[in-house]
PDB file of all heavy atoms in Angstrom:
ATOM      1  N   GLN B   1      33.424 -35.699 -35.080  1.00  0.00           N
ATOM      2  CA  GLN B   1      33.343 -35.727 -33.609  1.00  0.00           C
ATOM      3  C   GLN B   1      31.976 -35.272 -33.114  1.00  0.00           C
ATOM      4  O   GLN B   1      31.451 -35.804 -32.149  1.00  0.00           O
ATOM      5  CB  GLN B   1      34.481 -34.859 -33.016  1.00  0.00           C
ATOM      6  CG  GLN B   1      35.834 -35.465 -33.223  1.00  0.00           C
ATOM      7  CD  GLN B   1      36.968 -34.552 -32.784  1.00  0.00           C
ATOM      8  OE1 GLN B   1      36.748 -33.426 -32.330  1.00  0.00           O
ATOM      9  NE2 GLN B   1      38.179 -35.028 -32.902  1.00  0.00           N
ATOM     10  N   ILE B   2      31.393 -34.278 -33.772  1.00  0.00           N
ATOM     11  CA  ILE B   2      30.041 -33.843 -33.417  1.00  0.00           C
ATOM     12  C   ILE B   2      29.066 -35.002 -33.636  1.00  0.00           C
ATOM     13  O   ILE B   2      28.184 -35.235 -32.800  1.00  0.00           O
ATOM     14  CB  ILE B   2      29.635 -32.590 -34.220  1.00  0.00           C
ATOM     15  CG1 ILE B   2      30.449 -31.370 -33.746  1.00  0.00           C
ATOM     16  CG2 ILE B   2      28.137 -32.326 -34.103  1.00  0.00           C
ATOM     17  CD1 ILE B   2      30.275 -30.140 -34.597  1.00  0.00           C
ATOM     18  N   ALA B   3      29.222 -35.713 -34.735  1.00  0.00           N
ATOM     19  CA  ALA B   3      28.353 -36.877 -35.013  1.00  0.00           C
ATOM     20  C   ALA B   3      28.477 -37.913 -33.876  1.00  0.00           C
ATOM     21  O   ALA B   3      27.458 -38.418 -33.403  1.00  0.00           O
ATOM     22  CB  ALA B   3      28.715 -37.503 -36.346  1.00  0.00           C
ATOM     23  N   LEU B   4      29.688 -38.188 -33.476  1.00  0.00           N
ATOM     24  CA  LEU B   4      29.890 -39.152 -32.375  1.00  0.00           C
ATOM     25  C   LEU B   4      29.240 -38.666 -31.095  1.00  0.00           C
ATOM     26  O   LEU B   4      28.603 -39.451 -30.387  1.00  0.00           O
ATOM     27  CB  LEU B   4      31.392 -39.375 -32.149  1.00  0.00           C
ATOM     28  CG  LEU B   4      32.160 -40.138 -33.222  1.00  0.00           C
ATOM     29  CD1 LEU B   4      33.626 -40.221 -32.864  1.00  0.00           C
ATOM     30  CD2 LEU B   4      31.564 -41.533 -33.420  1.00  0.00           C
ATOM     31  N   ILE B   5      29.379 -37.389 -30.806  1.00  0.00           N
ATOM     32  CA  ILE B   5      28.790 -36.828 -29.575  1.00  0.00           C
ATOM     33  C   ILE B   5      27.266 -36.939 -29.612  1.00  0.00           C
ATOM     34  O   ILE B   5      26.649 -37.409 -28.659  1.00  0.00           O
ATOM     35  CB  ILE B   5      29.234 -35.360 -29.372  1.00  0.00           C
ATOM     36  CG1 ILE B   5      30.718 -35.322 -29.006  1.00  0.00           C
ATOM     37  CG2 ILE B   5      28.386 -34.669 -28.323  1.00  0.00           C
ATOM     38  CD1 ILE B   5      31.328 -33.929 -29.048  1.00  0.00           C
ATOM     39  N   VAL B   6      26.646 -36.512 -30.700  1.00  0.00           N
ATOM     40  CA  VAL B   6      25.185 -36.537 -30.802  1.00  0.00           C
ATOM     41  C   VAL B   6      24.656 -37.964 -30.701  1.00  0.00           C
ATOM     42  O   VAL B   6      23.698 -38.236 -29.962  1.00  0.00           O
ATOM     43  CB  VAL B   6      24.695 -35.861 -32.097  1.00  0.00           C
ATOM     44  CG1 VAL B   6      23.233 -36.083 -32.324  1.00  0.00           C
ATOM     45  CG2 VAL B   6      24.988 -34.375 -32.075  1.00  0.00           C
ATOM     46  N   LEU B   7      25.264 -38.876 -31.431  1.00  0.00           N
ATOM     47  CA  LEU B   7      24.795 -40.261 -31.394  1.00  0.00           C
ATOM     48  C   LEU B   7      25.059 -40.892 -30.026  1.00  0.00           C
ATOM     49  O   LEU B   7      24.227 -41.689 -29.531  1.00  0.00           O
ATOM     50  CB  LEU B   7      25.428 -41.064 -32.515  1.00  0.00           C
ATOM     51  CG  LEU B   7      25.030 -40.606 -33.932  1.00  0.00           C
ATOM     52  CD1 LEU B   7      25.844 -41.341 -34.996  1.00  0.00           C
ATOM     53  CD2 LEU B   7      23.556 -40.746 -34.166  1.00  0.00           C
ATOM     54  N   PHE B   8      26.152 -40.544 -29.393  1.00  0.00           N
ATOM     55  CA  PHE B   8      26.427 -41.015 -28.041  1.00  0.00           C
ATOM     56  C   PHE B   8      25.411 -40.469 -27.043  1.00  0.00           C
ATOM     57  O   PHE B   8      24.897 -41.200 -26.205  1.00  0.00           O
ATOM     58  CB  PHE B   8      27.855 -40.617 -27.618  1.00  0.00           C
ATOM     59  CG  PHE B   8      28.169 -40.932 -26.189  1.00  0.00           C
ATOM     60  CD1 PHE B   8      28.437 -42.229 -25.790  1.00  0.00           C
ATOM     61  CD2 PHE B   8      28.177 -39.927 -25.233  1.00  0.00           C
ATOM     62  CE1 PHE B   8      28.725 -42.521 -24.449  1.00  0.00           C
ATOM     63  CE2 PHE B   8      28.459 -40.207 -23.906  1.00  0.00           C
ATOM     64  CZ  PHE B   8      28.730 -41.508 -23.518  1.00  0.00           C
ATOM     65  N   GLN B   9      25.110 -39.174 -27.147  1.00  0.00           N
ATOM     66  CA  GLN B   9      24.131 -38.584 -26.249  1.00  0.00           C
ATOM     67  C   GLN B   9      22.776 -39.279 -26.383  1.00  0.00           C
ATOM     68  O   GLN B   9      22.144 -39.594 -25.380  1.00  0.00           O
ATOM     69  CB  GLN B   9      23.954 -37.074 -26.547  1.00  0.00           C
ATOM     70  CG  GLN B   9      25.111 -36.235 -26.109  1.00  0.00           C
ATOM     71  CD  GLN B   9      25.004 -34.803 -26.578  1.00  0.00           C
ATOM     72  OE1 GLN B   9      24.384 -34.509 -27.596  1.00  0.00           O
ATOM     73  NE2 GLN B   9      25.587 -33.885 -25.822  1.00  0.00           N
ATOM     74  N   ARG B  10      22.367 -39.534 -27.616  1.00  0.00           N
ATOM     75  CA  ARG B  10      21.095 -40.213 -27.834  1.00  0.00           C
ATOM     76  C   ARG B  10      21.109 -41.603 -27.236  1.00  0.00           C
ATOM     77  O   ARG B  10      20.178 -42.010 -26.541  1.00  0.00           O
ATOM     78  CB  ARG B  10      20.814 -40.283 -29.327  1.00  0.00           C
ATOM     79  CG  ARG B  10      19.502 -41.006 -29.660  1.00  0.00           C
ATOM     80  CD  ARG B  10      19.192 -40.900 -31.157  1.00  0.00           C
ATOM     81  NE  ARG B  10      17.921 -41.541 -31.420  1.00  0.00           N
ATOM     82  CZ  ARG B  10      17.786 -42.789 -31.849  1.00  0.00           C
ATOM     83  NH1 ARG B  10      18.858 -43.531 -32.075  1.00  0.00           N
ATOM     84  NH2 ARG B  10      16.589 -43.299 -32.078  1.00  0.00           N
ATOM     85  N   ALA B  11      22.184 -42.358 -27.489  1.00  0.00           N
ATOM     86  CA  ALA B  11      22.281 -43.703 -26.960  1.00  0.00           C
ATOM     87  C   ALA B  11      22.257 -43.696 -25.431  1.00  0.00           C
ATOM     88  O   ALA B  11      21.583 -44.551 -24.808  1.00  0.00           O
ATOM     89  CB  ALA B  11      23.563 -44.384 -27.477  1.00  0.00           C
ATOM     90  N   MET B  12      22.969 -42.777 -24.815  1.00  0.00           N
ATOM     91  CA  MET B  12      22.991 -42.716 -23.356  1.00  0.00           C
ATOM     92  C   MET B  12      21.647 -42.343 -22.777  1.00  0.00           C
ATOM     93  O   MET B  12      21.201 -42.938 -21.791  1.00  0.00           O
ATOM     94  CB  MET B  12      24.060 -41.734 -22.874  1.00  0.00           C
ATOM     95  CG  MET B  12      25.493 -42.230 -23.057  1.00  0.00           C
ATOM     96  SD  MET B  12      25.792 -43.801 -22.206  1.00  0.00           S
ATOM     97  CE  MET B  12      25.529 -43.322 -20.494  1.00  0.00           C
ATOM     98  N   LEU B  13      20.964 -41.384 -23.376  1.00  0.00           N
ATOM     99  CA  LEU B  13      19.639 -40.997 -22.872  1.00  0.00           C
ATOM    100  C   LEU B  13      18.655 -42.149 -23.001  1.00  0.00           C
ATOM    101  O   LEU B  13      17.858 -42.397 -22.089  1.00  0.00           O
ATOM    102  CB  LEU B  13      19.142 -39.755 -23.597  1.00  0.00           C
ATOM    103  CG  LEU B  13      19.862 -38.458 -23.250  1.00  0.00           C
ATOM    104  CD1 LEU B  13      19.426 -37.332 -24.172  1.00  0.00           C
ATOM    105  CD2 LEU B  13      19.633 -38.084 -21.788  1.00  0.00           C
ATOM    106  N   LEU B  14      18.721 -42.886 -24.105  1.00  0.00           N
ATOM    107  CA  LEU B  14      17.844 -44.056 -24.264  1.00  0.00           C
ATOM    108  C   LEU B  14      18.190 -45.124 -23.246  1.00  0.00           C
ATOM    109  O   LEU B  14      17.295 -45.790 -22.703  1.00  0.00           O
ATOM    110  CB  LEU B  14      17.949 -44.595 -25.687  1.00  0.00           C
ATOM    111  CG  LEU B  14      17.358 -43.694 -26.765  1.00  0.00           C
ATOM    112  CD1 LEU B  14      17.691 -44.249 -28.157  1.00  0.00           C
ATOM    113  CD2 LEU B  14      15.863 -43.499 -26.580  1.00  0.00           C
ATOM    114  N   LYS B  15      19.463 -45.288 -22.955  1.00  0.00           N
ATOM    115  CA  LYS B  15      19.893 -46.278 -21.933  1.00  0.00           C
ATOM    116  C   LYS B  15      19.418 -45.863 -20.556  1.00  0.00           C
ATOM    117  O   LYS B  15      18.913 -46.705 -19.785  1.00  0.00           O
ATOM    118  CB  LYS B  15      21.405 -46.413 -21.966  1.00  0.00           C
ATOM    119  CG  LYS B  15      21.995 -47.309 -20.901  1.00  0.00           C
ATOM    120  CD  LYS B  15      21.636 -48.771 -21.105  1.00  0.00           C
ATOM    121  CE  LYS B  15      22.392 -49.654 -20.168  1.00  0.00           C
ATOM    122  NZ  LYS B  15      21.546 -50.488 -19.366  1.00  0.00           N
ATOM    123  N   PHE B  16      19.525 -44.575 -20.229  1.00  0.00           N
ATOM    124  CA  PHE B  16      19.024 -44.089 -18.947  1.00  0.00           C
ATOM    125  C   PHE B  16      17.509 -44.330 -18.837  1.00  0.00           C
ATOM    126  O   PHE B  16      17.014 -44.755 -17.803  1.00  0.00           O
ATOM    127  CB  PHE B  16      19.324 -42.604 -18.730  1.00  0.00           C
ATOM    128  CG  PHE B  16      20.749 -42.320 -18.329  1.00  0.00           C
ATOM    129  CD1 PHE B  16      21.519 -41.432 -19.068  1.00  0.00           C
ATOM    130  CD2 PHE B  16      21.326 -42.914 -17.218  1.00  0.00           C
ATOM    131  CE1 PHE B  16      22.840 -41.165 -18.711  1.00  0.00           C
ATOM    132  CE2 PHE B  16      22.623 -42.648 -16.845  1.00  0.00           C
ATOM    133  CZ  PHE B  16      23.389 -41.757 -17.583  1.00  0.00           C
ATOM    134  N   ALA B  17      16.783 -44.045 -19.914  1.00  0.00           N
ATOM    135  CA  ALA B  17      15.330 -44.260 -19.908  1.00  0.00           C
ATOM    136  C   ALA B  17      15.004 -45.733 -19.665  1.00  0.00           C
ATOM    137  O   ALA B  17      14.088 -46.058 -18.923  1.00  0.00           O
ATOM    138  CB  ALA B  17      14.725 -43.772 -21.225  1.00  0.00           C
ATOM    139  N   GLU B  18      15.765 -46.615 -20.299  1.00  0.00           N
ATOM    140  CA  GLU B  18      15.566 -48.065 -20.118  1.00  0.00           C
ATOM    141  C   GLU B  18      15.872 -48.477 -18.683  1.00  0.00           C
ATOM    142  O   GLU B  18      15.121 -49.255 -18.078  1.00  0.00           O
ATOM    143  CB  GLU B  18      16.493 -48.812 -21.072  1.00  0.00           C
ATOM    144  CG  GLU B  18      16.331 -50.303 -21.054  1.00  0.00           C
ATOM    145  CD  GLU B  18      17.280 -50.956 -22.048  1.00  0.00           C
ATOM    146  OE1 GLU B  18      17.239 -50.601 -23.231  1.00  0.00           O
ATOM    147  OE2 GLU B  18      18.076 -51.819 -21.617  1.00  0.00           O
ATOM    148  N   ASP B  19      16.942 -47.965 -18.103  1.00  0.00           N
ATOM    149  CA  ASP B  19      17.303 -48.284 -16.715  1.00  0.00           C
ATOM    150  C   ASP B  19      16.233 -47.785 -15.757  1.00  0.00           C
ATOM    151  O   ASP B  19      15.884 -48.478 -14.786  1.00  0.00           O
ATOM    152  CB  ASP B  19      18.653 -47.666 -16.351  1.00  0.00           C
ATOM    153  CG  ASP B  19      19.819 -48.334 -17.084  1.00  0.00           C
ATOM    154  OD1 ASP B  19      19.618 -49.405 -17.671  1.00  0.00           O
ATOM    155  OD2 ASP B  19      20.930 -47.754 -17.064  1.00  0.00           O
ATOM    156  N   ILE B  20      15.708 -46.589 -16.007  1.00  0.00           N
ATOM    157  CA  ILE B  20      14.648 -46.044 -15.163  1.00  0.00           C
ATOM    158  C   ILE B  20      13.418 -46.926 -15.248  1.00  0.00           C
ATOM    159  O   ILE B  20      12.773 -47.222 -14.224  1.00  0.00           O
ATOM    160  CB  ILE B  20      14.317 -44.583 -15.577  1.00  0.00           C
ATOM    161  CG1 ILE B  20      15.478 -43.666 -15.219  1.00  0.00           C
ATOM    162  CG2 ILE B  20      13.024 -44.112 -14.933  1.00  0.00           C
ATOM    163  CD1 ILE B  20      15.416 -42.304 -15.886  1.00  0.00           C
ATOM    164  N   ASP B  21      13.100 -47.367 -16.451  1.00  0.00           N
ATOM    165  CA  ASP B  21      11.939 -48.239 -16.629  1.00  0.00           C
ATOM    166  C   ASP B  21      12.092 -49.530 -15.837  1.00  0.00           C
ATOM    167  O   ASP B  21      11.145 -49.991 -15.201  1.00  0.00           O
ATOM    168  CB  ASP B  21      11.730 -48.529 -18.118  1.00  0.00           C
ATOM    169  CG  ASP B  21      10.475 -49.296 -18.383  1.00  0.00           C
ATOM    170  OD1 ASP B  21       9.403 -48.898 -17.871  1.00  0.00           O
ATOM    171  OD2 ASP B  21      10.545 -50.321 -19.097  1.00  0.00           O
ATOM    172  N   GLU B  22      13.264 -50.121 -15.879  1.00  0.00           N
ATOM    173  CA  GLU B  22      13.519 -51.359 -15.118  1.00  0.00           C
ATOM    174  C   GLU B  22      13.360 -51.147 -13.615  1.00  0.00           C
ATOM    175  O   GLU B  22      12.743 -51.950 -12.927  1.00  0.00           O
ATOM    176  CB  GLU B  22      14.907 -51.898 -15.450  1.00  0.00           C
ATOM    177  CG  GLU B  22      15.042 -52.532 -16.805  1.00  0.00           C
ATOM    178  CD  GLU B  22      16.456 -52.995 -17.115  1.00  0.00           C
ATOM    179  OE1 GLU B  22      17.271 -53.120 -16.172  1.00  0.00           O
ATOM    180  OE2 GLU B  22      16.744 -53.204 -18.291  1.00  0.00           O
ATOM    181  N   LEU B  23      13.912 -50.042 -13.112  1.00  0.00           N
ATOM    182  CA  LEU B  23      13.772 -49.762 -11.694  1.00  0.00           C
ATOM    183  C   LEU B  23      12.325 -49.468 -11.313  1.00  0.00           C
ATOM    184  O   LEU B  23      11.843 -49.905 -10.259  1.00  0.00           O
ATOM    185  CB  LEU B  23      14.656 -48.574 -11.281  1.00  0.00           C
ATOM    186  CG  LEU B  23      16.147 -48.880 -11.175  1.00  0.00           C
ATOM    187  CD1 LEU B  23      16.944 -47.606 -11.008  1.00  0.00           C
ATOM    188  CD2 LEU B  23      16.419 -49.835 -10.021  1.00  0.00           C
ATOM    189  N   THR B  24      11.621 -48.757 -12.187  1.00  0.00           N
ATOM    190  CA  THR B  24      10.214 -48.464 -11.933  1.00  0.00           C
ATOM    191  C   THR B  24       9.377 -49.746 -11.888  1.00  0.00           C
ATOM    192  O   THR B  24       8.487 -49.877 -11.041  1.00  0.00           O
ATOM    193  CB  THR B  24       9.661 -47.518 -13.017  1.00  0.00           C
ATOM    194  OG1 THR B  24      10.469 -46.334 -13.056  1.00  0.00           O
ATOM    195  CG2 THR B  24       8.231 -47.127 -12.743  1.00  0.00           C
ATOM    196  N   GLN B  25       9.691 -50.689 -12.747  1.00  0.00           N
ATOM    197  CA  GLN B  25       8.968 -51.957 -12.726  1.00  0.00           C
ATOM    198  C   GLN B  25       9.196 -52.695 -11.402  1.00  0.00           C
ATOM    199  O   GLN B  25       8.269 -53.344 -10.898  1.00  0.00           O
ATOM    200  CB  GLN B  25       9.402 -52.823 -13.899  1.00  0.00           C
ATOM    201  CG  GLN B  25       8.824 -52.352 -15.217  1.00  0.00           C
ATOM    202  CD  GLN B  25       9.292 -53.189 -16.399  1.00  0.00           C
ATOM    203  OE1 GLN B  25       9.852 -54.253 -16.231  1.00  0.00           O
ATOM    204  NE2 GLN B  25       9.049 -52.679 -17.607  1.00  0.00           N
ATOM    205  N   CYS B  26      10.369 -52.596 -10.840  1.00  0.00           N
ATOM    206  CA  CYS B  26      10.633 -53.212  -9.537  1.00  0.00           C
ATOM    207  C   CYS B  26       9.731 -52.611  -8.474  1.00  0.00           C
ATOM    208  O   CYS B  26       9.209 -53.336  -7.611  1.00  0.00           O
ATOM    209  CB  CYS B  26      12.093 -53.047  -9.139  1.00  0.00           C
ATOM    210  SG  CYS B  26      13.249 -54.006 -10.132  1.00  0.00           S
TER     211      CYS B  26
END
């Protein structure tokens, strides 16, 4: 469960960074 949490946190933070980048480009 810790592994799932850590990998999920990483994936979500990378997704947020990608979303921010898309909005910034606009």
Side-chain angles (χ1 to χ4, degrees):
Q1 291 173 359
I2 290 172
L4 290 177
I5 290 168
V6 170
L7 295 173
F8 173 76
Q9 288 173 331
R10 179 173 182 264
M12 287 301 298
L13 289 171
L14 292 173
K15 175 69 171 123
F16 282 125
E18 183 180 304
D19 291 347
I20 291 166
D21 186 49
E22 286 177 17
L23 285 171
T24 304
Q25 286 178 12
C26 290

